[in-house]
């Protein structure tokens, strides 16, 4: 018997916490600190759970610790951060005190090999602005310290192993049902990888080796912006709606969000739901 469609709920009256020039992504670390990628200023903004500013990291440029159109950040290990530095065609890795560790170039040729093969990248190899040609717009660190990134230039996900060797391409033209069209965001769980594909208006699910598992919300995730994992659920971020799936893939809730700007990203901690638009961070309750 088909499961009943969950009734829509409505979220309004969220509390504003902070403002930004052009926000692209939102993340939480294990301590509860918030991070907003503000591409308008080329910085990562660190905030308390109440939205009070703690520090700005980075600044415009192509050097170590500088960014050109930063697009995403993963601080979830609590020990290091990985930043998708889209305009500089690289990922940058930092300690939690923002000491630069290395840069991983994202080359257009990395995703061009038949069968998903990928070039090995040596530790510490640097990519200057525009040299590599890829465009990493999303990043996630997996449970075994592997790194995944969406390369928007070629519409695939790249995977580096724990030693930062580029291991494989996911979602390429030969991936069958798992072929990606226009991936824009991703999240890595303990055993599954979730990729938001705006071209399919869906979330494509893989195992951590790139094997296709299933597709969530096919054709219903129009304008999908981001995906966020909690221990209990996957949150799919649309411009004016949140789709909440159980970790088994069942749609549990659809939450309409009424704000004066489209949603960009969300983060969830305890009973707090943090909502990011292009210029604002707001806080609401999850229930």
């Amino acid at each position: 018997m088909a499961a009943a469609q969950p009734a829509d709920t409505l979220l309004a009256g969220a509390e504003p916490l902070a403002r930004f020039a052009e926000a692209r992504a939102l993340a939480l670390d294990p301590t509860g600190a918030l991070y907003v990628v503000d591409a308008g200023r080329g910085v990562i903004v660190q905030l308390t759970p109440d939205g009070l500013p703690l520090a700005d990291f980075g600044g415009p440029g192509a050097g170590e610790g500088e960014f050109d159109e930063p697009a995403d950040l993963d601080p979830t290990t609590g020990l290091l951060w990985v930043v998708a530095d889209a305009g500089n065609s690289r990922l940058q890795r930092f300690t939690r005190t923002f000491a630069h560790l290395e840069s991983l170039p994202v080359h257009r040729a990395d995703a061009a090999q038949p069968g998903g093969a990928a070039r090995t990248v040596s530790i510490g190899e640097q990519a200057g602005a525009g040299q590599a040609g890829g465009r990493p717009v999303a990043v996630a660190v997996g449970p075994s310290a592997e790194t995944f990134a969406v390369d928007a230039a070629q519409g695939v996900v790249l995977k580096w192993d724990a030693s930062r060797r580029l291991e494989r391409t996911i979602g390429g033209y030969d991936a069958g049902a798992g072929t990606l069209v226009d991936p824009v965001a991703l999240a890595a769980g303990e055993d599954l990888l979730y990729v938001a594909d705006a071209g399919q208006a869906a979330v494509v699910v893989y195992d951590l080796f790139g094997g296709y598992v299933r597709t969530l919300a096919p054709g219903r995730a129009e304008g999908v912006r981001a995906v966020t994992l909690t221990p209990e659920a996957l949150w799919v971020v649309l411009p004016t709606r949140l789709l909440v799936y159980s970790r088994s893939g069942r749609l549990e809730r659809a939450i309409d969000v009424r704000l004066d700007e489209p949603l960009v990203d969300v983060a969830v901690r305890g009973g707090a739901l943090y909502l990011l638009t292009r210029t604002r961070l707001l806080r609401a309750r999850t229930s």
Side-chain angles (χ1 to χ4, degrees):
M1 181 179 295
Q5 178 76 10
D8 282 6
T9 55
L10 182 67
L11 178 65
E15 170 193 9
L17 298 179
R19 299 191 68 90
F20 306 96
E22 186 182 346
R24 296 283 181 88
L26 172 65
L28 276 164
D29 73 13
T31 72
L34 294 160
Y35 299 85
V36 173
V37 179
D38 190 350
R41 295 192 296 126
V43 298
I44 307 298
V45 183
Q46 184 184 45
L47 307 103
T48 71
D50 292 322
L52 299 176
L54 293 173
D56 288 355
F57 299 97
E64 293 182 354
E66 298 177 335
F67 307 114
D68 179 7
E69 294 187 73
D72 196 17
L73 165 74
D74 188 331
T76 53
T77 68
L79 299 175
L80 60 85
W81 309 344
V82 184
V83 179
D85 188 6
N88 285 321
S89 303
R90 66 187 176 183
L91 306 180
Q92 291 197 68
R93 300 177 72 249
F94 302 92
T95 69
R96 62 184 176 182
T97 59
F98 203 64
H100 185 269
L101 295 173
E102 62 186 323
S103 294
L104 303 179
V106 178
H107 291 269
R108 290 182 62 89
D110 290 339
Q113 303 301 318
R119 186 181 64 83
T120 298
V121 178
S122 60
I123 298 174
E125 183 178 356
Q126 303 292 308
Q131 292 177 355
R135 187 170 178 79
V137 297
V139 65
V141 177
S144 299
E146 62 267 71
T147 302
F148 301 90
V150 171
D151 179 10
Q154 300 211 51
V156 296
V157 173
L158 301 177
K159 178 187 177 183
W160 290 259
D161 67 16
S163 298
R164 271 80 70 201
R165 289 186 295 264
L166 189 54
E167 180 182 287
R168 69 183 70 242
T169 298
I170 299 171
Y173 68 91
D174 59 346
T179 298
L180 295 167
V181 177
D182 182 17
V184 295
L186 79 170
E190 293 181 359
D191 55 1
L192 294 174
L193 179 70
Y194 301 86
V195 182
D197 190 339
Q200 299 185 63
V203 176
V204 186
V205 186
Y206 305 88
D207 62 33
L208 297 184
F209 300 98
Y212 172 74
V213 175
R214 59 177 171 263
T215 299
L216 299 177
R220 295 187 312 225
E222 189 69 33
V224 61
R225 303 291 184 89
V227 283
T228 297
L229 274 177
T230 69
E232 300 81 21
L234 173 75
W235 294 68
V236 181
V237 183
L238 312 182
T240 60
R241 174 175 276 203
L242 299 170
L243 302 178
V244 185
Y245 285 84
S246 70
R247 296 294 286 266
S248 64
R250 175 188 172 89
L251 180 61
E252 301 288 350
R253 299 175 67 189
I255 305 172
D256 289 326
V257 180
R258 291 184 177 174
L259 299 172
D260 56 2
E261 288 185 313
L263 286 172
V264 170
D265 205 350
V266 303
V268 185
R269 185 177 179 88
L273 173 62
Y274 295 95
L275 307 163
L276 184 68
T277 71
R278 187 179 66 85
T279 63
R280 292 193 298 163
L281 176 67
L282 305 99
R283 180 172 59 187
R285 305 300 296 178
T286 58
S287 58

